[in-house]
Amino acid sequence: MLTAQGITVRYGDKTVVDGVSFSLREGEWLMLAGPNGAGKSTLVSALSQGAAYAGKIELDGRDLRAYKPSELARKVGVLSQGHEAGYAFTVEEIVSLGRYAYRGGFLSGRDKDGEKRINQALADTGMDAMRKKSVLTLSGGEMQRAFLAQVFAQSPQILLLDEPANHLDLIYQKHIFSLIRDWLSLPGRAVLSVVHDLSLAKRYGTDAILMSGGKAVAQGGINAVFTPENLDRVYGMDVYGWMRDSLKQWE
Amino acid sequence: MKSERFRWYTYGLFSLALFGAMLLCVCAGSVSVPAGDTLSVLWNALCGKPSPDGISGAIILSVRLPRVFCVALIGAALSLCGAAMQGLLRNPLADGSTLGVSSGASLGAVMAIAFGVSIPSLPYAGTMAMAMLFAFLSLMLILFLAYLLDKSLSTSSIILIGVIFSMFASSVISLIIAFAGEKLKSITFWTMGSLSGSNYAYALILALALLICGAVILRCSQELNAFAVGEDNARSVGVPVRRVKLTILIAVSVLIGISVSVGGTIGFVGLVTPHIARMIVGPNHKKLLPASMFSGAVFLLLADLVGRTLVSPIELPIGVVTSLVGSVIFVIVFYKNRRKG
């Protein structure tokens, strides 16, 4: 569905993402992993057209830059980590913004499917009861679910997620990740996400790119990428040993 | 789902309040005219008949009425601009006066008066064009400088730069005044923010500008909602971010430029009224923008009335009244926000 070739992002004379290439196929959940400063989030910004990049990204065989913003929004949805809404919008208003791309830009009110999609998204994320609540009163987990509902209402084919459950309580992490897995189970969909927690990445991902210093150090199926050798090299420590050791605390 | 827009009767209520405020302002003043007399003068004028005997129709028709139109239109325009900028920059303290756009417009207008910039056969066009141009240039400059300071365009850096720019603009204005010579009087008169020179031509220009720029801004309601949630969010739901931003900024600059060139610097209207409107109708711009326009018009009409009648026969400049009221509300809002954040 999505192919990227030689993606390079520079901030000033610093190269943050350095010639990363990959492809994302239907049904895949591609995990971007790597230590802090590896360029994962920047790569997601480039994919969502939020950062200027060199290289080529194609979506369904067409250059991403050639898409109109509203066309792109109908195919690709983005969920970033942490949101802070400045004004007291209701959950419903936040979610209905997800239908923006279907309302024909400056003219509004021709989105027949909209209401159904919004209600579905609110129900799927368990936010239906809170639809009239102001987002200023939500907890971190509820806020993230509200924005997840927005991106579901957008009904894209590809989800780009940047640490979707960062800083959230375990129960919300689990909730968000299983919601995304359910979403992915329908045909014609794919997910690419930055996930810091390697256990979460291994648990939910089908494929992975291990990044370090802006470069893709290893990529492919998740188990082929998350080998002891690869992880030790990138993180500079015995990752498998640490994980097993941590697990022992609970036995 | 409930309609996101106002129903017709809400507009009816708004119009009623606006009409009431306008009527009050036409009647009251150094010479009070009873409401009934005022209405009969207006009715006769509409029908093309002379004013009834014994009533000073001239005061109403050629002094107060054009002034009331100008005040209402400027109030609506400044308030709409404030609401739009607060949404666009996701910053509840944004407004022409806190961002330095009004001072920029004043600088342009003062330069036009001092250096005699004029467009042949169009009497006010030189001052207006310069005010609009400088409003836009200063907005771009302020946003650019704030962006250099921090890339996220945060509340504090924009306001900081805006304040610095305002000081810079006023010092340049003072400099021009120092060398102005025989034009001193007209410049000083104008910078006080006086609407006593209002006439129907100004009102017509304001109405046209508000009609065009207002339509542009109102049609961006959805986009403003997205911006008010966050610029990244706006991009991800498919808003053509740069184009919409530029469109709104240009419309805002034109409106502020024209308002300032007619009424001088009138601070805090665009800051305060959208805030009050937001408390009543919520942050959705489909409701917030029209509500801001009506409340801005009423607010400025009442401020002008206070300025005209409080220490009559001396007339307080309208900018003084709005700044007195506005700065107090500004402080309250700022402290409330600080405590929340």
Side-chain angles (χ1 to χ4, degrees):
Chain A
M1 297 168 84
L2 185 91
T3 55
Q5 283 173 344
I7 303 306
T8 301
V9 180
R10 289 191 186 87
Y11 289 142
D13 48 5
K14 196 178 170 230
T15 305
V16 188
V17 177
D18 193 357
V20 175
S21 303
F22 66 89
S23 62
L24 181 67
R25 282 169 292 267
E26 188 181 333
E28 277 183 3
W29 188 333
L30 179 62
M31 295 288 182
L32 292 182
N36 289 326
K40 298 164 299 196
S41 296
T42 309
L43 181 56
V44 170
S45 302
L47 291 171
S48 59
Q49 305 291 291
Y53 59 91
K56 197 171 188 188
I57 305 173
E58 280 188 345
L59 176 63
D60 295 337
R62 198 173 140 207
D63 192 330
L64 214 59
R65 291 189 182 99
Y67 280 88
K68 277 196 266 175
S70 58
E71 278 180 320
L72 192 61
R74 273 174 257 164
K75 291 189 175 255
V76 180
V78 186
L79 181 68
S80 54
Q81 58 173 313
H83 294 273
E84 29 172 327
Y87 300 108
F89 286 102
T90 62
V91 169
E92 191 174 46
E93 282 168 337
I94 295 285
V95 177
S96 73
L97 273 179
R99 298 304 294 174
Y100 173 81
Y102 298 88
R103 289 177 187 143
F106 284 99
L107 296 166
S108 60
R110 270 187 274 142
D111 178 24
K112 281 184 196 146
D113 229 12
E115 205 174 322
K116 207 178 80 196
R117 296 277 188 177
I118 291 166
N119 288 331
Q120 187 65 46
L122 283 165
D124 286 348
T125 50
M127 291 300 285
D128 201 26
M130 284 180 254
R131 65 193 298 161
K132 295 289 180 201
K133 267 183 98 172
S134 150
V135 289
L136 296 181
T137 65
L138 301 183
S139 71
E142 290 163 348
M143 189 73 142
Q144 198 62 343
R145 277 192 284 157
F147 279 93
L148 187 64
Q150 183 194 69
V151 85
F152 282 171
Q154 202 173 321
S155 33
Q157 293 158 356
I158 295 174
L159 275 187
L160 301 178
L161 314 166
D162 187 0
E163 302 268 18
N166 208 15
H167 307 305
L168 295 187
D169 287 343
L170 277 179
I171 178 146
Y172 291 127
Q173 280 196 3
K174 191 182 159 206
H175 200 155
I176 299 267
F177 273 81
S178 20
L179 284 172
I180 295 166
R181 180 139 77 185
D182 293 345
W183 181 87
L184 182 61
S185 65
L186 290 175
R189 293 175 170 181
V191 178
L192 180 148
S193 66
V194 173
V195 175
H196 214 80
D197 184 333
L198 292 173
S199 303
L200 271 178
K202 201 162 155 51
R203 184 165 176 170
Y204 288 95
T206 60
D207 294 76
I209 300 176
L210 197 56
M211 289 181 73
S212 178
K215 288 195 170 68
V217 177
Q219 57 193 109
I222 189 117
N223 290 320
V225 172
F226 281 14
T227 60
E229 301 77 47
N230 282 341
L231 293 178
D232 291 1
R233 186 152 52 101
V234 166
Y235 286 92
M237 63 177 280
D238 177 12
V239 175
Y240 268 63
W242 169 260
M243 290 292 184
R244 291 207 182 96
D245 212 35
S246 303
L247 191 63
K248 266 188 211 143
Q249 309 294 319
W250 301 97
E251 281 166 358
Chain B
M1 205 189 301
K2 215 181 71 193
S3 170
E4 285 186 279
R5 293 171 194 285
F6 281 129
R7 307 206 181 270
W8 61 268
Y9 53 79
T10 318
Y11 282 109
L13 274 176
F14 279 145
S15 310
L16 213 62
L18 179 62
F19 181 74
M22 286 173 87
L23 190 62
L24 181 68
C25 290
V26 174
C27 296
S30 48
V31 181
S32 284
V33 185
D37 291 356
T38 306
L39 284 175
S40 63
V41 169
L42 293 180
W43 181 249
N44 282 7
L46 273 179
C47 302
K49 284 184 278 188
S51 299
D53 295 335
I55 308 171
S56 40
I59 290 188
I60 290 169
L61 290 177
S62 57
V63 180
R64 288 198 191 150
L65 197 59
R67 178 169 182 150
V68 161
F69 279 137
C70 283
V71 171
L73 287 164
I74 289 176
L78 290 178
S79 188
L80 177 68
C81 290
M85 289 214 275
Q86 288 169 16
L88 187 69
L89 300 173
R90 198 168 156 274
N91 182 341
L93 297 177
D95 152 52
S97 51
T98 52
L99 290 186
V101 185
S102 307
S103 332
S106 306
L107 179 60
V110 167
M111 281 169 73
I113 300 172
F115 303 127
V117 178
S118 64
I119 297 170
S121 79
L122 292 168
Y124 322 106
T127 320
M128 280 189 177
M130 285 286 280
M132 278 190 276
L133 182 68
F134 271 72
F136 184 68
L137 287 180
S138 38
L139 190 57
M140 298 311 282
L141 182 71
I142 289 156
L143 289 177
F144 174 70
L145 289 175
Y147 181 77
L148 287 184
L149 201 66
D150 90 285
K151 301 259 184 300
S152 62
L153 285 180
S154 70
T155 308
S156 45
S157 48
I158 290 182
I159 290 184
L160 185 67
I161 301 281
V163 169
I164 296 170
F165 182 82
S166 293
M167 289 179 182
F168 171 76
S170 8
S171 61
V172 176
I173 291 175
S174 306
L175 199 68
I176 294 172
I177 289 176
F179 290 102
E182 81 276 15
K183 281 172 182 151
L184 178 70
K185 210 175 157 192
S186 58
I187 292 176
T188 324
F189 182 73
W190 182 85
T191 49
M192 298 274 277
S194 171
L195 281 152
S196 54
S198 304
N199 58 40
Y200 287 111
Y202 280 144
L204 190 67
I205 294 171
L206 280 167
L208 277 176
L210 188 60
L211 202 67
I212 295 165
C213 299
V216 169
I217 294 173
L218 285 170
R219 277 179 63 167
C220 291
S221 297
Q222 274 197 99
E223 287 81 358
L224 279 170
N225 282 341
F227 273 106
V229 172
E231 188 170 327
D232 284 335
N233 196 251
R235 183 180 296 109
S236 78
V237 299
V239 175
V241 168
R242 203 171 304 168
R243 197 184 75 202
V244 172
K245 208 176 203 178
L246 203 63
T247 307
I248 293 173
L249 288 180
I250 290 174
V252 162
S253 308
V254 169
L255 273 181
I256 291 184
I258 291 183
S259 301
V260 165
S261 67
V262 172
T265 322
I266 303 173
F268 293 99
V269 185
L271 179 70
V272 171
T273 46
H275 227 88
I276 297 168
R278 199 177 290 115
M279 283 183 217
I280 299 166
V281 302
N284 191 329
H285 286 81
K286 283 178 185 169
K287 286 181 176 170
L288 179 63
L289 294 178
S292 295
M293 283 171 72
F294 280 103
S295 49
V298 172
F299 177 81
L300 201 60
L301 280 169
L302 297 180
D304 186 47
L305 185 65
V306 169
R308 279 193 291 134
T309 54
L310 192 67
V311 285
S312 174
I314 299 170
E315 191 184 310
L316 295 175
I318 188 167
V320 174
V321 180
T322 58
S323 295
L324 275 177
V325 179
S327 50
V328 173
I329 301 180
F330 180 93
V331 168
I332 295 171
V333 168
F334 196 71
Y335 271 76
K336 264 191 172 171
N337 269 309
R338 268 296 155 89
R339 244 177 276 143
K340 245 189 292 169

